[in-house]
Amino acid sequence: MADFRILDKDLDRLSNAQSAGLHSARPVVRLGIAVLFVALVAVALSGGPLGPAAPGVLIAAAAGAGAFLALSIGANDVANSLGPAVGAGALPLGAGLAAVAVMEVAGAVLAGGQVSQTLTHGILAAEAMTSGAQAGVVMLAAMLAAAAWITLATWAGAPVSTTHAIVGGIAGAGMVAFGAGAVNWGGVARIALGWVGSPVLSAALAASVLALLRARVHRAPDRLAAARRWLPWLVAAMTALLLVYAASFLPLPGWAVAALALAGTGAALWDTHRRLAAPPDPRLSENKQLNRLFGPPLAASALLMGFGHGANDSANIAGPLAVIAQAGSVGSMGALSPWLLMLAGLGIALGAALFGRRLVRMVGSRITRLSPVRALCVSLATAVTVLTASRLGLPVSTTHIAVGGVFGVGFYREWEERRHRARLAPLPVEERRRRRLVRRGHVVRTLAAWLVTVPAVAALAALIAALIG
């Protein structure tokens, strides 16, 4: 018997050593999958939709850079969709990553074309875009610079904007290749105006939704009953918005879009009513039961936001690749290849699954503490803002908008706290600082990252374009 016990111990040691080895090898496996994806995309596109137009070296380099950029966007920007939901505990990280990845691909394929058109036409003049291989070099330099910058930001844990990076890269490389006069400064100003206005709009929407939910649910005499009455309609409204938005890009008549929206809205309303009708758990406090009721609408808002992110940020890859594909024939860029949009969406989804966990936790828990209701406000405001911008063909920063929503919720809570404290004795300065709900250090760090991204990537893209040229 002693021999068998010794054998069991030895087997346990071997099992523990194997588990430790597998755990330590996970980063290497993720990196290997990413490298394999980049290589496969470069090989596939060299003989695919880019093949007849541009030199083989340019095609392979552009395809590899596009795949790398898609992985970097997924790793950095998945925090926008999942950060609030995971930070509030409404979604597990693994299942949330898988669900949002599917929505990213759907958003890219169905609604990614309009923003891609803005990137290919709105930053550089048409004469520059018809210069053949030289325009391809500009786009290649922009993608390489943006991918390098975003990878550095992901490693540093800074939620920078991929849209800022690609726009800055195109402008910087374009100035080196064609001169400053080739840059469409009016188009760049329009994009920059969207960058300034979109986070402010997201913050205002998030604060407004929070104020509405506090008035209708949290201050109701029976909060659980109020939540069961209002939340299904909120989920139904989000479902209708997603279905109408996605169906508007399909060749469907108006009555078919309306019927699809009504059917989806009814199904969502029934399912949410069913989920929220479960009897209360007597072991949980009222607050914990109320937070659990916000799980279904919070999950729905994360999926809606993933769709919007795919629709907007897939253009950062598909747009530059489309320029190289057309080899200067700007007039034929009207029909962007769905194949390129699907490739961009798949790359973003894979990057999110492989490398997105770190920033999900950062956005979801380190800026301000998020309960399910506050996380719902952030996700819903961000999704509506991004979808509106995508419909207008405006390339906005989903990171910018998501973090703006988080700040809006935090600052609203601080304002509400100050209003409540105004009726009481004033607190010392040190105590007022301790009670701040938004960490000012994260605000300054995020704003600094946003401000530095455009000039830094523009300079890097200019250098790469000069070396290639």
Side-chain angles (χ1 to χ4, degrees):
M1 294 297 293
D3 292 338
F4 285 109
R5 284 197 297 271
I6 293 172
L7 178 61
D8 288 341
K9 291 180 180 179
D10 290 339
L11 291 174
D12 288 339
R13 292 190 185 100
L14 289 173
S15 178
N16 292 334
Q18 184 180 19
S19 299
L22 290 173
H23 181 76
S24 62
R26 284 176 183 172
V28 179
V29 172
R30 294 192 190 105
L31 183 60
I33 294 173
V35 171
L36 180 62
F37 175 75
V38 172
L40 289 175
V41 168
V43 171
L45 289 187
S46 296
L50 305 187
V57 175
L58 180 61
I59 295 168
F68 181 45
L69 180 59
L71 292 170
S72 301
I73 291 174
N76 194 281
D77 278 11
V78 69
N80 306 335
S81 303
L82 272 184
V86 171
L91 278 176
L93 185 55
L97 283 170
V100 169
V102 173
M103 298 303 293
E104 293 272 1
V105 177
V109 174
L110 292 176
Q114 287 184 285
V115 181
S116 297
Q117 293 294 319
T118 301
L119 287 178
T120 55
H121 294 83
I123 299 175
L124 298 179
E127 294 78 11
M129 300 303 293
T130 57
S131 60
Q134 200 169 7
V137 169
V138 168
M139 292 300 176
L140 174 60
M143 287 192 293
L144 289 174
W149 181 258
I150 294 164
T151 301
L152 177 64
T154 301
W155 173 80
V160 300
S161 164
T162 55
T163 304
H164 290 194
I166 199 67
V167 171
I170 293 173
M175 283 191 286
V176 167
F178 309 112
V183 178
N184 181 6
W185 296 109
V188 173
R190 175 175 174 265
I191 294 172
L193 184 62
W195 292 346
V196 173
S198 56
V200 176
L201 176 61
S202 177
L205 283 174
S208 300
V209 175
L210 179 59
L212 178 64
L213 289 175
R214 283 191 184 277
R216 296 295 182 180
V217 176
H218 283 266
R219 296 193 184 101
D222 188 343
R223 297 193 298 170
L224 295 177
R228 290 190 174 94
R229 182 171 61 253
W230 283 95
L231 293 183
W233 291 103
L234 186 60
V235 175
M238 286 188 284
T239 304
L241 173 64
L242 176 59
L243 290 175
V244 170
Y245 187 89
S248 66
F249 293 94
L250 298 175
L252 296 175
W255 65 266
V257 173
L260 179 64
L262 287 175
T265 302
L269 189 63
W270 172 81
D271 183 65
T272 310
H273 266 300
R274 180 183 61 84
R275 291 176 181 272
L276 299 184
D281 189 343
R283 297 171 298 178
L284 299 178
S285 65
E286 185 185 26
N287 281 336
K288 290 184 177 180
Q289 292 183 49
L290 184 64
N291 286 339
R292 289 180 63 179
L293 293 180
F294 279 90
L298 187 54
S301 68
L303 297 179
L304 180 66
M305 193 172 164
F307 184 93
H309 177 258
N312 203 280
D313 276 32
S314 62
N316 297 332
I317 303 102
L321 286 179
V323 173
I324 300 172
Q326 300 299 332
S329 180
V330 75
S332 61
M333 285 184 193
L336 185 69
S337 171
W339 205 91
L340 291 178
L341 291 170
M342 179 176 291
L343 170 67
L346 287 174
I348 292 173
L350 183 60
L354 293 177
F355 307 112
R357 296 171 181 265
R358 184 181 179 188
L359 276 180
V360 168
R361 295 190 180 96
M362 185 268 185
V363 172
S365 60
R366 296 183 188 174
I367 293 177
T368 185
R369 184 175 177 272
L370 290 177
S371 67
V373 61
R374 294 191 289 270
L376 173 62
C377 298
V378 172
S379 296
L380 184 56
T382 305
V384 170
T385 305
V386 172
L387 289 174
T388 301
S390 300
R391 189 63 187 174
L392 297 174
L394 188 63
V396 293
S397 166
T398 51
T399 303
H400 207 154
I401 294 169
V403 178
V406 175
F407 289 159
V409 165
F411 284 124
Y412 173 81
R413 293 176 62 211
E414 287 187 1
W415 172 80
E416 196 174 46
E417 172 70 15
R418 286 196 301 270
R419 190 178 67 167
H420 172 72
R421 293 295 310 178
R423 309 189 196 108
L424 306 175
L427 295 173
V429 175
E430 294 79 6
E431 180 63 17
R432 290 201 299 269
R433 289 178 179 172
R434 190 185 69 81
R435 293 192 177 206
R436 286 178 175 174
L437 300 173
V438 177
R439 301 177 185 178
R440 268 56 175 177
H442 282 294
V443 177
V444 173
R445 182 185 179 193
T446 302
L447 289 176
W450 292 342
L451 292 174
V452 120
T453 292
V454 173
V457 178
L460 181 58
L463 176 61
I464 294 173
L467 292 175
I468 295 175

